[in-house]
Amino acid sequence: MNDTRARVLAALADGSRSGPALADELGISRAAVWKHVEALREAGFEIESDGEGYVLASVPEYGGPAVEFGLDAPYSIEYHESIGSTNSRARELAKEGAENVVVLADEQTGSRGRLNRDWQAPAGGVWMSLVLRPELPTSHAPLLTLAAAVAVTKVAREAGVEAVIKWPNDVLVSTAEGEKKLCGILTEMAGEADRVSWVVVGIGINANLAADEIPETATSLQIEGGEVNRRIVVQRVLEEFTDLAADTDAILPAWREYALTLGQYVRVETPNGDVLGEAVDVEFPGTLVLKTDDGTVRISAGECEHLRPVQSR
Ligand code: BT5
């Protein structure tokens, strides 16, 4: 949303204003005020005009302007009703030089998980990809994936859903039928020498989706805690993520607090074979530390399966 339009909106949210008063307050013409009010109405904001002036009556349920309104994080939102993959679009934007843009979609028709696996993304979920240009050495980039998992876990808990994290980047809910995946994260990046050039953090949260819309191994915020306001979910995830990304020392402690993996016997599939052991810690920048029969093993990437909690042995 352009800056003047955002200021018009903020003023109307603050209380009723006449057209001339608004024009004076913002230093623009009355015709410009009218143009912005009409554009906001077209974007779904209900702006009532009583005898006194204009006032904001309601905010659209979802979409770019809705998420930008009241967002306490520095992103512009590019919204699509339907798109192939928000990560693909975000990569395009990143290559064109974009920064602090979030590609958000109601539905994705060709979304991807890691290793090009399929990701189901019907209308009703929260599908978004952040385009970032952080001042980070390339080797620190995994921290951003952990930060995204922490942000989603925190927001799921705010919605009353007891989410936990499985190393490295799955957000799960432990249900009577076992662990079910609530959110997946796909981070892609390009770097020059030891500096990150751009990072795309793709976050897929099963928000308002029913059991028959997602895989059997998955769950949703709606199933676990009831329907959510997706506008607020997106805003809160972006706000929490931004706070963590600005304070990278806080990421690992927060991740450990939410981690289901720590304290479990796990099997991790790695390119060099399976490793079995007790997950004892996660170290900078996201390395899993396992206590195995052959000593301590550190793993930077792999597929992790929880076998059982250590105390149940
Ligand atoms: C992930 O991959 O978990 C990363 C998923 C990232 C999706 C987001 S949505 C926004 C952005 N745009 C994209 O195109 N992608 C990102 P992985 O760990 O490889 O898990 C993939 C596996 O999860 C699949 O093989 C299925 O078994 C399962 N799966 C597919 N759709 C799912 C869903 N909606 N919920 C839970 N699990 C799902």
Side-chain angles (χ1 to χ4, degrees), residues 263-284:
Q264 300 254 345
Y265 281 103
V266 300
R267 176 188 294 118
V268 187
E269 264 178 57
T270 78
N272 307 319
D274 286 7
V275 185
L276 270 142
E278 179 189 344
V280 288
D281 198 10
V282 65
E283 287 177 352
F284 181 88

Side-chain angles (χ1 to χ4, degrees), residues 85-87 108 111-114 117 119-120 181 184 206 218:
S85 153
T86 55
N87 259 46
Q108 295 178 106
S111 48
R112 294 170 286 116
R114 293 176 303 152
R117 286 188 281 239
W119 181 259
Q120 290 183 28
K181 185 154 157 172
N206 298 324

Side-chain angles (χ1 to χ4, degrees), residues 150 243-244 247-256:
V150 169
D243 287 353
L244 286 164
D247 178 16
T248 47
D249 287 348
I251 297 173
L252 283 177
W255 191 94
R256 289 189 191 102

